[in-house]
Amino acid sequence: MYTHLDCIALRTTKVSDSKNLLSAWTRTHGRLTFSLPAGAGREAHRRRALTAPLCTFACECDIRPGRDIHTVRDLRALPGSLAMQPSPTKTLSAQFIAETLDILLRRSEPDSALSDYIFDSVDRLGAMTDSRAVAAFHLIFLYQLTHHAGIAPDLSAWGSGAIFDMRDACFRNTAPLHADFIAGKECTAMMTIARADFESAARLPLDRHARKLALDKILRYYSIHLTSLGSLKSLEILRSMAD
């Protein structure tokens, strides 16, 4: 029996000349893997566009207990999908976010609050018209995602001169006896991102260099508390994003 699913495409892997595997986050069933036909025709081109990284799509899926790979049909773009509005800067951000989620969500169970956050965030990225907002999207998204991942930092002790201990996820008055901490201007940047939202993304007062440093720290934070993100292939491409 086929079930309707709303999905966010994460990663497509070619397994043969005739078949691809698509990992996707679904609103109701968490992470699933779909088998899709490969090919070079018009329909294959349409399917690749619909399932490009972070594109949202609907489908009918034959979900059977005990199966790791599922059959889908009737793929169609959801309203506002990035597939409907190609943009070089949004594509860079989407590739990075999709690859990051593909790693972070590998062992995740269905979670309605997490799904609502991811779907809403992707819709907001699609609706952004200011390139400055798009350039800051990934920082705000990853910071807010910490709340849904159960690793949100404790900001209660923030103050002048405070140092953020990334391992203990809290501010301290003195540096810890390890190298995983943030101090000085990087702490100020962290608090700026923590207080931002997607509506204010275009006004995020961080230059390109500061964004790069902030991203490195956020990825290190995730690596400490969840899983290593050191293998992200899209990271260097994202770092090249212009202001």
Side-chain angles (χ1 to χ4, degrees):
M1 180 177 180
Y2 279 82
T3 301
H4 175 87
L5 296 177
D6 288 345
C7 312
I8 297 175
L10 299 179
R11 178 171 60 95
T12 298
T13 303
K14 183 177 180 179
V15 294
S16 71
D17 290 339
S18 61
K19 184 171 72 171
N20 292 328
L21 294 181
L22 171 68
S23 63
W25 182 259
T26 69
R27 187 181 290 278
T28 53
H29 289 71
R31 181 191 174 96
L32 293 176
T33 300
F34 304 138
S35 176
L36 294 174
R42 179 179 300 178
E43 177 60 23
H45 178 76
R46 185 189 76 89
R47 192 162 45 241
R48 283 195 298 271
L50 288 177
T51 58
L54 221 65
C55 288
T56 53
F57 65 95
C59 67
E60 307 302 316
C61 180
D62 183 15
I63 301 177
R64 300 189 183 187
R67 282 193 177 182
D68 294 327
I69 301 173
H70 306 280
T71 302
V72 292
R73 67 185 186 190
D74 300 336
L75 276 70
R76 54 207 179 275
L78 287 174
S81 172
L82 293 170
M84 311 282 288
Q85 43 179 318
S87 159
T89 53
K90 288 183 182 180
T91 297
L92 288 177
S93 185
Q95 289 175 343
F96 171 76
I97 293 296
E99 186 181 7
T100 302
L101 289 175
D102 183 56
I103 295 173
L104 293 177
L105 300 178
R106 283 180 183 174
R107 296 177 179 83
S108 296
E109 297 297 322
D111 182 325
S112 59
L114 174 62
S115 290
D116 288 345
Y117 172 69
I118 296 176
F119 273 88
D120 178 68
S121 298
V122 173
D123 286 345
R124 288 174 180 269
L125 175 61
M128 286 179 173
T129 57
D130 193 316
S131 61
R132 294 169 299 176
V134 176
F137 173 84
H138 60 286
L139 296 175
I140 297 172
F141 174 84
L142 288 176
Y143 181 83
Q144 293 184 355
L145 183 64
T146 64
H147 293 275
H148 298 278
I151 59 170
D154 179 0
L155 307 180
S156 60
W158 158 250
S160 178
I163 294 170
F164 184 71
D165 184 332
M166 288 198 287
R167 294 187 186 181
D168 287 345
C170 64
F171 282 98
R172 302 188 181 282
N173 293 324
T174 59
L177 298 176
H178 56 74
D180 291 317
F181 65 88
I182 305 173
K185 291 182 179 180
E186 291 183 352
C187 270
T188 303
M190 172 186 168
M191 292 303 298
T192 299
I193 295 168
R195 292 166 176 163
D197 54 29
F198 295 128
E199 286 75 15
S200 64
R203 302 187 300 276
L204 195 71
L206 300 178
D207 61 21
R208 183 175 178 179
H209 178 67
R211 291 202 308 270
K212 286 182 179 180
L213 291 177
L215 178 58
D216 287 343
K217 296 299 183 182
I218 292 174
L219 294 179
R220 176 59 184 159
Y221 185 78
Y222 272 96
S223 295
I224 291 170
H225 293 281
L226 289 181
T227 188
S228 174
L229 294 174
S231 62
L232 291 170
K233 297 178 181 178
S234 57
L235 181 56
E236 288 304 319
I237 299 175
L238 182 73
R239 283 175 174 155
S240 70
M241 183 185 294
D243 291 329

